[in-house]
Amino acid sequence: MRDIVVIGGGMSGLAAAHELERQGARYTIIEVKRRFGGGIRSSQAEGFLMDSCAFVFRALDETRLAALGLAGQQQARGDGSALLSGGSESLTAALAKDLRGGRLMRMALSSIGRLGGRFSLCLENGLMLDARALILALPARYAARVLYNVSPETAGQLADFQYESLARVSLGLHKNNLPADFASRLTNCAFVLRTDSPSRVPDSEHILLQVGLRGAAGEDSRQIIVRAARLLGAQKPLVARVDHWAEADLLPIEPAQHAERLRAIRASLPAGIRLIGSDYGQVDAQSSGIARLDERMAMGRTAANAALATLRM
Ligand SMILES: Cc1cc2nc3c(=O)[nH]c(=O)nc-3n(C[C@H](O)[C@H](O)[C@H](O)COP(=O)(O)OP(=O)(O)OC[C@H]3O[C@@H](n4cnc5c(N)ncnc54)[C@H](O)[C@@H]3O)c2cc1C
C-alpha cells in the first residue's frame, strides 16, 4: 500500500509532492498527461519567450526560489508582481526535477473507493492502487468526477462550480508598432500584461504582450489574434500565439460566497483527502491575469503536511 498519492501534476500537485519529497515521505504522483506542469507551459519563438497561462504572478519568496535552483531568476515588476526570466515553466520543471517518489504518467484517476481505513484508487486503464492519504490537486470539474463514488455530497458541490472561457493571446512586436494611445486602449481587454525584460524579448526595441480576451468561444485562433491586435492598435506582430481556455477562471462570485462554499466542501470531504488548486483559492484577483503561484505552492505544502499528520494518527 502507498502512504500518500498525489493526483494531478500541475503547480499545486508538484508543490505538494515536493514537500513530501523534502520530508522523506513515501508518495506517488499521478498525472494524466505526458508532462508535468498542468496549464503552465513556456515556449520560445523569434527571440520571444512566452507563457501559455501564468505569465506574471504575485512575487514568490526568494529563499524558496533559491532552494529550487532559481536564485536571481525572478524579475520584480514594481507592483508586487513578478515573472521568471526562464518562463513560468522553469518553476514547475524545478519542482519536478527533485521528485524521486513514484510517478505514474499518462494515467488518469477514474474513481476513489474506501475500504476500511484505506482508499482504493481505480485508474482509467484499470490499474488499482491503495493509499492511506490522498491529495487531489485537480480543478473542481475534474475533482467532482473522481469523488463521486466516495463522497457524492462533495462531488455535487464541486460540480456546481461554473467557469468562463478566456483566450490568452501572446503578441511579440516592435515597440514602434504600438500606437501612441496604447495606454488608453488597455481597458478594451480583460487584461493586458507586458514585458520588455531582456530574457523575454529579442532586444530592447521589442515588447511582449499577453492579452486576455473574453467571449472568444466562436472564433478561431486567427480571428482572436486579429481582434486582440485591433483592440490594442498593435501592428505587424512578429509572433502571435493563442491559448484558448474553454474553462479558465471561475465565473465571478462574491469572495464571501466562495469562502462559504469552500468551507462546506472541506466539511463534507472524507477524512484523509485534501483538495488543492486554483479553484479553491482566493477569487478577488482573478480578473487581473496575475496568477497566485505563491498560493498554489503554499496550498501544496499545507496539504502535504496535513497528509503526513493523517499517517501519524
Ligand atoms: C485561463 C487561466 C486562468 C487562470 N486563472 C488563475 C487564477 O485565477 N488564479 C491563479 O492563481 N492562477 C490562475 N491561473 C494560473 C495558473 O495556471 C494556475 O494557478 C496554476 O497553474 C494552477 O495549477 P493547478 O495545479 O492547481 O492546476 P492545473 O494546472 O490545472 O493542474 C491539474 C493537473 O491535473 C491533471 N489531471 C486532471 N485530471 C486528472 C486525473 N483524473 N488524473 C490525473 N491527473 C489529472 C492535469 O493534466 C493537470 O496537469 C490561470 C491559468 C489559466 C490558464
Side-chain angles (χ1 to χ4, degrees):
M1 185 188 338
R2 284 157 171 89
D3 280 348
I4 302 171
V5 174
V6 179
I7 300 106
M11 183 75 217
S12 307
L14 286 172
H18 196 269
E19 180 65 11
L20 294 172
E21 177 75 41
R22 200 184 65 79
Q23 298 202 35
R26 286 192 310 171
Y27 69 92
T28 295
I29 183 166
I30 304 175
E31 166 54 48
V32 65
K33 300 212 177 108
R34 62 175 73 235
R35 59 175 278 281
F36 284 129
I40 293 179
R41 184 188 280 271
S42 307
S43 61
Q44 202 140 18
E46 307 290 336
F48 293 93
L49 177 57
M50 299 167 278
D51 279 304
S52 57
C53 64
F55 168 51
V56 173
F57 47 82
R58 229 162 44 166
L60 294 163
D61 182 272
E62 283 292 350
T63 315
R64 291 194 191 283
L65 286 174
L68 290 169
L70 298 173
Q73 296 199 28
Q74 178 166 248
Q75 299 169 338
R77 288 161 42 92
D79 59 354
S81 70
L83 42 78
L84 280 168
S85 55
S88 298
E89 194 173 336
S90 59
L91 179 57
T92 48
L95 288 165
K97 85 168 174 2
D98 288 342
L99 303 184
R100 302 282 173 270
R103 52 173 79 179
L104 299 175
M105 304 299 291
R106 299 180 70 190
M107 293 190 203
L109 175 65
S110 176
S111 66
I112 303 169
R114 189 144 210 190
L115 287 172
R118 63 193 166 89
F119 295 103
S120 154
L121 308 184
C122 178
L123 307 195
E124 273 178 14
N125 62 3
L127 193 68
M128 303 288 290
L129 308 174
D130 284 350
R132 293 171 64 198
L134 302 180
I135 298 175
L136 284 186
L138 304 175
R141 57 191 183 279
Y142 302 136
R145 282 185 224 151
V146 300
L147 281 167
Y148 186 74
N149 182 42
V150 73
S151 179
E153 186 187 346
T154 320
Q157 290 162 331
L158 292 167
D160 282 343
F161 279 46
Q162 288 183 300
Y163 299 84
E164 54 187 344
S165 69
L166 180 78
R168 288 195 176 220
V169 188
S170 299
L171 295 175
L173 66 164
H174 197 283
K175 287 176 181 171
N176 288 346
N177 289 328
L178 284 179
D181 65 348
F182 175 67
S184 69
R185 291 168 172 256
L186 300 181
T187 49
N188 292 343
C189 306
F191 59 81
V192 181
L193 301 166
R194 50 194 150 145
T195 185
D196 59 359
S197 158
S199 65
R200 294 305 199 104
V201 295
D203 57 48
S204 60
E205 302 288 300
H206 291 84
I207 188 163
L208 175 63
L209 309 176
Q210 193 190 61
V211 186
L213 288 185
R214 300 278 181 211
E219 293 172 304
D220 63 25
S221 294
R222 214 191 113 64
Q223 290 168 318
I224 294 171
I225 290 165
V226 168
R227 180 151 71 94
R230 270 207 198 117
L231 287 170
L232 294 172
Q235 307 271 332
K236 301 183 198 158
L238 297 166
V239 163
R241 182 198 153 114
V242 178
D243 292 284
H244 195 189
W245 302 90
E247 289 166 314
D249 11 43
L250 296 173
L251 272 184
I253 180 169
E254 280 299 315
Q257 205 183 334
H258 185 58
E260 175 52 30
R261 71 176 172 183
L262 293 182
R263 194 202 54 73
I265 286 166
R266 269 185 228 110
S268 69
L269 257 184
I273 302 182
R274 266 92 204 165
L275 193 52
I276 56 172
S278 50
D279 283 356
Y280 322 106
Q282 294 179 28
V283 289
D284 53 335
Q286 271 184 347
S287 57
S288 67
I290 295 179
R292 294 179 174 233
L293 301 186
D294 54 340
E295 193 185 49
R296 300 289 78 71
M297 291 182 74
M299 268 187 179
R301 286 193 301 273
T302 304
N305 283 302
L308 288 167
T310 302
L311 301 189
R312 288 192 286 270
M313 284 202 279

